């Protein structure tokens, strides 16, 4: 696989071209804005949390393929999940993104387990090899964290 | 035309011998920072190897040599700009940004009062915006912006009104996003007629076209060394010596004083007042070498070279990608700088830059520190390619190859 194909996996391009859970939610859903001052990417995450479950999530904004795909993948990964499950995905995702410059060793059983548990999100693992793009991938997740804290 | 030959310039640039991802580097980011020729690197190297010492106050030989080198650079800058008052009005700063801070926080604090108008334009770099907003926190300035037309030029239809009550017109000579060259001389005359002083951001122009301060008849100029083939870490603030004499100190410490007692201090006069602490001596030596190098090329030749590369690139981009790739900047006439901001339909600038990097092409995605301008055109970012005197049409070939790849990849 070329570097580019590793970064822009088919799943990522698919989520970029056809983002899931796009749009807004009316109040009382919470609304959190995220901002990447370096590249001007902007994102708004709307969250409906009912009885400890993320019952709905919608996202608006603009940015590069990585930030858009990451937000779309995130919305799918957390929708319908309990807050505890969401916080687990969040921390796994952030761990994956801080493996800066290193390719995750898929033969290492612990990594394999983590990647498998991340499902489609694992497609974003290639981003970690491109340090300047990590911020693109994590924008949605940081915004989600902030939204959950405020909730 | 004289002996200008971009292929020969290219051979002088060590950084252009690199390969990136298996391809020769295609450096199209000179608008952000230019690549220094060997003579600049060698001048700094020679200085550090043989002549390094602190400047001023020294008695021994190398200290005198260092002082001569540093002050020689100041004289070279003055000559390069044809500065009225010569070297006396040249202050070395860290970069253009610091020079703007010096303007706002020294001249501005001493000369502006509540209600005064500072006139900027919508195409300014943040370096010429943020210091004015910061000053507005203590002085109730009326900060106005000359709008930009849909054709990417300054909209001067309301200029008389905008100039009412103006104390300072602070404007870029060339936009780092659009490539637009502004009519500095005419606007300076107009602003002077309204009693204002005029500051010009020459960051993008000074290494790319001739600058003549006597002819421009402006009051302040600022720029960075690293955009004119020089090193990072040095910039220039120029003003008329008689204006400099009225400006209060900016940074305090050693070097900028006439006397220090236990009950206070007396600042030095002239440019010394504004150069606190040990200055950037090696960088001044490098800047001096860059000026010599540019003078050897001839700034008229550099400008003509930029223009021919730009005209060629615009016509090829329009031809090959008609409609799909939009150039954010003037395209109708040749009078523009070698900066091409691209908006590719359906492909984000970050993704463009990533695909270009794969074949060794260096362009810059982002807002280019000109967010008000980006907002004006409803853009979050562009991918910007910018030329230097070492750029060739070959670079445009590779840029087009990369753009085609990106468009194919993202569909
Ligand atoms: C027009 C313009 N003004 C000011 C600056 C600031 O220069 P520096 O970052 O070297 O201070 C730049 C560089 O990006 C520029 O292009």
């Amino acid at each position: 696989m070329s570097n580019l194909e590793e970064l822009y996996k088919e799943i990522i391009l698919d989520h970029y071209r056809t983002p899931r859970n796009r749009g807004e939610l009316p109040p009382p859903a919470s609304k959190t804005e995220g901002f990447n001052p370096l590249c001007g990417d902007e994102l708004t995450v709307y969250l409906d949390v009912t009885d400890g479950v993320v019952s709905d999530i919608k996202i608006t904004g603009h940015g590069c393929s990585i930030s858009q795909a990451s937000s779309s993948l995130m919305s799918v990964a957390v929708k319908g999940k309990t807050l505890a499950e969401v916080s687990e995905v969040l921390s796994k995702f952030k761990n994956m993104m801080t493996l800066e410059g290193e390719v995750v060793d898929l033969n290492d059983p612990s990594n394999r387990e983590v990647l498998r548990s991340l499902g489609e999100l694992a497609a974003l693992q290639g981003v970690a090899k491109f340090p300047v793009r990590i911020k693109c991938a994590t924008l949605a997740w940081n915004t989600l964290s902030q939204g959950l804290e405020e909730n | 035309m004289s002996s200008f030959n971009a292929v020969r310039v290219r051979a002088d640039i060590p950084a252009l011998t690199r390969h990136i991802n298996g391809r020769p580097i295609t450096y199209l980011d000179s608008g952000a920072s230019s690549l220094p020729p060997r003579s600049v690197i060698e001048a700094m190297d020679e200085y550090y190897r043989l002549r390094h010492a602190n400047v001023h106050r020294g008695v021994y030989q190398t200290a005198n040599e260092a002082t001569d080198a540093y002050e020689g650079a100041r004289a070279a800058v003055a000559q390069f700009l044809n500065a009225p008052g010569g070297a006396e009005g040249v202050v070395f700063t860290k970069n253009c940004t610091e020079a703007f801070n010096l303007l706002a926080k020294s001249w501005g604090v001493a000369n502006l009062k509540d209600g005064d108008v500072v006139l900027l334009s919508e195409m300014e770099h943040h370096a010429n915006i943020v210091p004015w907003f910061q000053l507005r926190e203590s002085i109730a300035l009326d900060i106005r912006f000359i709008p930009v037309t849909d054709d990417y030029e300054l909209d001067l239809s309301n200029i008389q009104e905008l100039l009412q009550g103006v104390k300072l017109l602070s404007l870029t000579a060339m936009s780092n996003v659009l490539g637009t060259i502004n009519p500095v001389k005419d606007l300076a005359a107009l602003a002077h007629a309204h009693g204002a002083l005029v500051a010009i951001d020459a960051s993008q122009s000074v290494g790319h076209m001739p600058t003549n301060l006597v002819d421009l008849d402006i009051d302040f100029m600022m720029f960075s060394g690293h955009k004119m083939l020089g090193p990072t870490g040095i910039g220039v603030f120029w003003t008329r010596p008689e204006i400099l004499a009225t400006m209060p100190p900016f940074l305090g410490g050693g070097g900028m004083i006439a006397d220090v007692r236990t009950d206070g201090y007396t600042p030095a006069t002239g440019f010394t007042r504004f150069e606190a602490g040990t200055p950037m001596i090696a960088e001044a030596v490098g800047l001096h070498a860059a000026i010599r190098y540019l003078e050897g090329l001839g700034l008229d030749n550099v400008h003509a070279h930029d223009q021919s590369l730009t005209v060629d690139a615009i016509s090829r981009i329009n031809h090959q990608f008609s409609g799909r790739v939009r150039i954010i900047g003037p395209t109708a006439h040749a009078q523009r700088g070698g900066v091409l901001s691209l908006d590719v339909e359906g492909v984000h600038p970050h993704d463009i830059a990533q695909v270009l990097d794969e074949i060794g092409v260096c362009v810059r995605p982002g807002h280019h520190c000109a967010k008000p301008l980006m907002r004006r055109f409803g853009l979050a970012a562009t991918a910007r390619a910018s030329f230097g005197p070492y750029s060739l049409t070959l670079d445009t070939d590779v840029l087009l190859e990369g753009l085609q790849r990106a468009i194919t990849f993202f569909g």
Side-chain angles (χ1 to χ4, degrees):
Chain A
M1 245 195 293
S2 81
N3 271 341
L4 275 189
E5 284 162 348
E6 208 171 304
L7 177 64
Y8 297 117
K9 295 218 176 70
E10 207 36 63
I11 296 176
I12 292 181
L13 292 176
D14 174 49
H15 276 261
Y16 171 52
R17 294 187 184 119
T18 326
R20 326 291 200 262
N21 301 304
R22 283 293 282 190
E24 302 179 5
L25 289 175
S30 69
K31 175 181 172 184
T32 314
E33 289 176 357
F35 216 53
N36 184 344
L38 275 179
C39 48
D41 288 359
E42 288 172 2
L43 211 81
T44 306
V45 176
Y46 297 85
L47 277 179
D48 240 337
V49 181
T50 326
D51 301 331
V53 172
V54 175
S55 51
D56 205 357
I57 175 168
K58 291 246 190 274
I59 297 171
T60 61
H62 56 78
C64 65
S65 59
I66 302 298
S67 80
Q68 295 300 289
S70 181
S71 65
S72 171
L73 282 158
M74 178 187 83
S75 70
V76 173
V78 305
K79 190 168 167 176
K81 297 277 165 34
T82 65
L83 290 177
E85 287 167 332
V86 169
S87 113
E88 195 188 329
V89 182
L90 248 167
S91 83
K92 277 185 189 162
F93 181 80
K94 287 192 175 168
N95 273 337
M96 180 170 81
M97 281 301 131
T98 48
L99 295 169
E100 284 180 25
E102 283 174 45
V103 188
V104 174
D105 179 5
L106 293 170
N107 295 319
D108 180 334
S110 62
N111 282 338
R112 218 168 359 174
E113 188 43 45
V114 171
L115 285 181
R116 191 172 323 115
S117 70
L118 280 169
E120 283 199 325
L121 286 176
L124 284 161
Q125 169 228 331
V127 176
K129 271 182 73 180
F130 297 82
V132 292
R133 305 302 296 275
I134 292 177
K135 283 209 166 64
C136 309
T138 51
L139 175 63
W141 298 80
N142 291 333
T143 313
L144 173 70
S145 288
Q146 204 188 321
L148 289 173
E149 265 165 44
E150 289 163 5
N151 241 291
Chain B
M1 214 173 279
S2 83
S3 61
F4 180 84
N5 178 340
V7 176
R8 223 173 296 145
V9 179
R10 201 175 185 92
D12 289 336
I13 313 291
L16 288 176
T17 60
R18 279 203 61 176
H19 282 66
I20 308 282
N21 293 327
R23 300 273 300 248
I25 189 170
T26 297
Y27 190 77
L28 289 170
D29 199 19
S30 296
S33 204
S34 54
L35 301 176
R38 202 169 282 107
S39 64
V40 168
I41 300 163
E42 284 172 356
M44 294 173 72
D45 181 69
E46 189 258 8
Y47 166 77
Y48 270 129
R49 277 188 295 105
L50 301 176
R51 290 188 290 155
H52 176 65
N54 213 328
V55 291
H56 307 136
R57 303 176 297 277
V59 172
Y60 54 92
Q61 176 144 351
T62 55
N64 287 333
E65 286 177 14
T67 305
D68 288 349
Y70 185 64
E71 293 308 325
R74 194 189 311 277
V77 168
Q79 202 165 36
F80 183 61
L81 303 175
N82 194 25
E88 292 306 308
V90 176
V91 177
F92 285 128
T93 61
K94 179 174 70 176
N95 49 33
C96 176
T97 302
E98 188 180 283
F100 268 112
N101 279 272
L102 172 57
L103 177 65
K105 288 157 195 184
S106 168
W107 179 85
V109 164
N111 290 279
L112 297 174
K113 51 184 195 318
D114 291 354
D116 280 350
V117 175
V118 172
L119 183 57
L120 314 174
S121 87
E122 258 179 349
M123 63 170 85
E124 296 312 309
H125 188 279
H126 296 166
N128 186 25
I129 300 176
V130 178
W132 303 113
F133 284 149
Q134 289 178 322
L135 190 56
R136 196 172 63 179
E137 288 163 15
S138 52
I139 305 170
L141 297 177
D142 178 1
I143 299 171
R144 298 179 187 163
F145 290 84
I146 304 174
V148 174
T149 67
D150 290 345
D151 298 325
Y152 309 105
E153 313 267 349
L154 291 179
D155 178 355
L156 300 175
S157 53
N158 259 336
I159 190 70
Q160 295 292 348
E161 207 169 300
L162 286 169
L163 281 167
Q164 293 308 315
V166 72
K167 286 288 173 0
L168 180 75
L169 168 66
S170 191
L171 181 70
T172 190
M174 185 193 292
S175 163
N176 65 316
V177 177
L178 307 172
T180 307
I181 296 173
N182 289 322
V184 166
K185 188 177 172 178
D186 293 349
L187 284 173
L190 208 53
H192 281 157
H194 282 76
L197 295 186
V198 178
I200 294 300
D201 177 352
S203 296
Q204 292 294 329
S205 62
V206 74
H208 291 267
M209 55 198 280
T211 302
N212 184 336
L213 285 171
V214 169
D215 179 58
L216 286 176
D217 192 26
I218 60 173
D219 307 291
F220 304 96
M221 177 170 273
M222 38 285 285
F223 55 88
S224 286
H226 68 93
K227 292 184 204 273
M228 50 180 289
L229 311 184
T232 58
I234 189 161
V236 168
F237 171 94
W238 171 83
T239 185
R240 302 172 186 280
E242 58 274 22
I243 295 175
L244 200 65
T246 69
M247 289 170 49
F250 173 41
L251 302 173
M256 52 72 73
I257 52 94
D259 188 25
V260 181
R261 304 163 302 275
T262 54
D263 67 345
Y265 83 105
T266 312
T269 55
F271 53 74
T272 310
R273 173 183 294 185
F274 304 98
E275 294 183 358
T278 300
M280 45 303 259
I281 311 165
E283 289 75 9
V285 168
L287 180 62
H288 191 168
I291 288 172
R292 277 202 204 107
Y293 189 85
L294 282 170
E295 284 175 338
L297 299 182
L299 271 297
D300 279 318
N301 296 329
V302 173
H303 189 42
H305 178 65
D306 278 342
Q307 306 237 315
S308 79
L309 283 174
T310 308
V311 166
D312 170 70
I314 289 174
S315 93
R316 286 163 70 191
I317 288 169
N318 284 339
H319 182 254
Q320 189 171 334
F321 305 104
S322 68
R324 187 76 199 259
V325 179
R326 200 155 59 100
I327 293 162
I328 309 299
T331 54
H333 57 87
Q335 260 303 316
R336 83 196 294 294
V339 173
L340 286 174
S341 269
L342 306 177
D343 179 40
V344 181
E345 194 196 333
V347 193
H348 192 277
H350 264 200
D351 294 317
I352 300 274
Q354 193 82 58
V355 174
L356 287 171
D357 175 61
E358 191 74 1
I359 56 169
V361 180
C362 315
V363 299
R364 187 152 295 257
H367 53 62
H368 317 297
C369 296
K371 290 197 82 169
L373 181 69
M374 303 304 280
R375 281 214 175 84
R376 156 71 179 85
F377 289 103
L379 295 160
T382 67
R384 183 186 71 183
S386 49
F387 297 116
Y390 35 71
S391 301
L392 305 173
T393 51
L394 173 72
D395 296 318
T396 306
D397 297 345
V398 190
L399 172 68
L400 295 188
E401 177 195 335
L403 288 174
Q404 187 58 61
R405 263 186 196 225
I407 288 170
T408 308
F409 194 86
F410 287 96

